[in-house]
Amino acid sequence: MAFAIVAGCSLVVGLQPRTVPGLALPLASTPPAAVPAAPAPGPSVPTSRLARPGDCAALVNGLDVRSQVAQLVVVGVSGDDPAATVALVRDHQVGGIFIGGNATALLKDRALAAVQGAAKVPVAVSVDEEGGRVQRIDDLDGDLPSARTMAATKSPEEVRALAAERGRQLRTRGVTVDFAPDTDVTDAPDDDVIGDRSFSPDPARVKTYATAFAAGLRDAGVQPVLKHFPGHGHGSGDSHKGTVVTPPLAQLRAVDLVPYRGLAGYGPVGVMMGHLDVPDLTGGVPASLSPAAYALLRGEFSFTGPVVTDDLGAMKAITAQYSLPDAVLKALQAGADQALWSSGGRVDEVLDRLVKAVQSGELPPARVQESVTRVLRGKGLCG
């Protein structure tokens, strides 16, 4: 849903650009009255600053190949094993981690501070806190309603305030990225694969409420990630279980893609690329591995921010066809900035494959550097 500073680049403390540490997200100058100003980040939030935050090229060029490709992976970790997560970050300097499931040890007692302490650059810490069926801190901070319930019972301003409060809870625990809101459009039953994760069957209403939810997260200093481009709401099934085919592109443009029009109106966000086969766009390949899908997002929808894949390690739409290293490579070749796998593990295997691909020209160095730049900007490390 997403996106190591070594070899001569250093971090210093003291420079204070108007960004939330670890994210390229400007703090709202004047939050609405219903949304209290975001508090200072908790102790588990990285506080490092670059001496020259505008110099992305120097920062990227200071990384060796393995350090660069490591920034392009988001690896699933177990919420009940903080020590293993510290070891993962220390040993591999991955760009991001994803905390799934319901275990919460990693989200308590400043456990993520130790994870950040092992990182040579602040690591992006992501969850998929949507509300309803998909939430991670409900056992710690209470329940968050589903998107459908929020849109049916609250104004956009109230949803922004609710998302800001949830964002502050996440940020205090050390989370920096939320794979939410869901911008899919559907009237499917609540328990369908998307179902009540969607705000509405009306695409304009989806955009209104998704914009409010994203703004609330940003008010709290958490990066929102819209999902699942180019639209899962009218797909043929569940990508966890197999191939999902969407309606033709013309129909997606009329309905499912409407929430992505005018992406600049959301403010700084990421986008998650779904495992969706669009018959007249991707030609039998999941969008997450399709250059045409990324070209659509970057071209027609003028998106310049970071793009992360949906889960490459636990969804049969991918795993039935590709090994994990090949899926990660294909996603990056196609245009993803970060490749996500929630299953965790196999990091050496994946990074070895990516390094070889760069050295052989399968994965052009310029393609890698472009994505590393977006990832580092997404962490607020360069302009």
Side-chain angles (χ1 to χ4, degrees):
M1 219 297 282
F3 186 283
I5 298 185
V6 291
C9 292
S10 62
L11 294 171
V12 299
V13 175
L15 190 66
Q16 298 296 323
R18 188 159 170 72
T19 56
V20 177
L23 292 174
L25 301 177
L27 289 174
S29 326
T30 53
V35 184
S44 61
V45 176
T47 56
S48 300
R49 302 283 191 172
L50 284 184
R52 293 180 295 170
D55 193 1
C56 276
L59 182 55
V60 174
N61 291 333
L63 305 176
D64 62 25
V65 172
R66 194 175 189 87
S67 298
Q68 288 184 4
V69 297
Q71 283 297 307
L72 306 186
V73 299
V74 180
V75 183
V77 298
S78 174
D80 63 1
D81 195 347
T85 304
V86 170
L88 166 72
V89 172
R90 182 191 63 232
D91 295 345
H92 300 291
Q93 297 299 318
V94 294
I97 59 172
F98 170 72
I99 307 169
N102 296 314
T104 58
L106 196 52
L107 295 165
K108 296 188 294 189
D109 304 323
R110 299 186 71 249
L112 283 167
V115 174
Q116 295 292 357
K120 293 180 174 138
V121 63
V123 62
V125 178
S126 56
V127 295
D128 52 348
E129 188 77 12
E130 300 175 18
R133 290 177 287 153
V134 184
Q135 49 186 321
R136 303 303 167 199
I137 60 170
D138 46 316
D139 286 345
L140 301 174
D141 294 311
D143 187 62
L144 184 69
S146 70
R148 182 169 285 174
T149 297
M150 282 190 269
T153 61
K154 299 182 184 299
S155 69
E157 294 75 19
E158 289 171 326
V159 167
R160 179 172 180 170
L162 193 63
E165 175 60 22
R166 198 55 150 202
R168 284 190 289 273
Q169 292 162 345
L170 291 168
R171 187 71 182 176
T172 297
R173 296 185 180 282
V175 174
T176 64
V177 178
D178 188 6
F179 294 146
D182 191 310
T183 46
D184 294 317
V185 181
T186 191
D187 60 358
D190 283 357
D191 60 354
D192 188 70
V193 59
I194 300 299
D196 63 357
R197 300 167 64 191
S198 168
F199 287 103
S200 173
D202 176 358
R205 190 169 175 84
V206 168
K207 184 171 184 180
T208 295
Y209 276 91
T211 299
F213 194 96
L217 291 175
R218 224 175 19 256
D219 290 338
V222 173
Q223 184 182 40
V225 177
L226 313 181
K227 63 186 185 185
H228 309 81
F229 189 90
H232 202 318
H234 294 96
S236 63
D238 182 348
S239 53
H240 293 85
K241 299 176 181 178
T243 300
V244 174
V245 180
T246 73
L249 184 56
Q251 186 173 333
L252 293 184
R253 285 193 173 107
V255 180
D256 300 78
L257 283 166
V258 169
Y260 294 95
R261 301 222 173 266
L263 272 167
Y266 285 98
V269 295
V271 169
M272 177 176 284
M273 188 68 71
H275 304 318
L276 306 166
D277 178 10
V278 184
D280 49 351
L281 177 70
T282 66
V285 176
S288 54
L289 308 184
S290 167
Y294 292 94
L296 180 72
L297 178 60
R298 298 290 188 199
E300 182 174 331
F301 293 88
S302 303
F303 185 63
T304 60
V307 182
V308 62
T309 69
D310 204 346
D311 188 351
L312 296 171
M315 293 188 171
K316 289 185 179 178
I318 298 295
T319 60
Q321 304 177 66
Y322 307 99
S323 70
L324 178 62
D326 285 345
V328 171
L329 174 58
K330 287 179 180 296
L332 298 179
Q333 288 172 325
D337 297 310
Q338 289 192 307
L340 161 70
W341 67 97
S342 70
S343 50
R346 303 181 68 182
V347 180
D348 269 327
E349 185 182 351
V350 169
L351 296 184
D352 286 347
R353 180 71 182 94
L354 295 180
V355 169
K356 289 178 182 177
V358 174
Q359 292 171 339
S360 69
E362 286 180 277
L363 184 60
R367 168 84 276 280
V368 172
Q369 291 165 5
E370 176 187 18
S371 286
V372 174
T373 299
R374 288 198 190 101
V375 169
L376 297 181
R377 282 177 178 157
K379 295 179 181 182
L381 296 177
C382 58

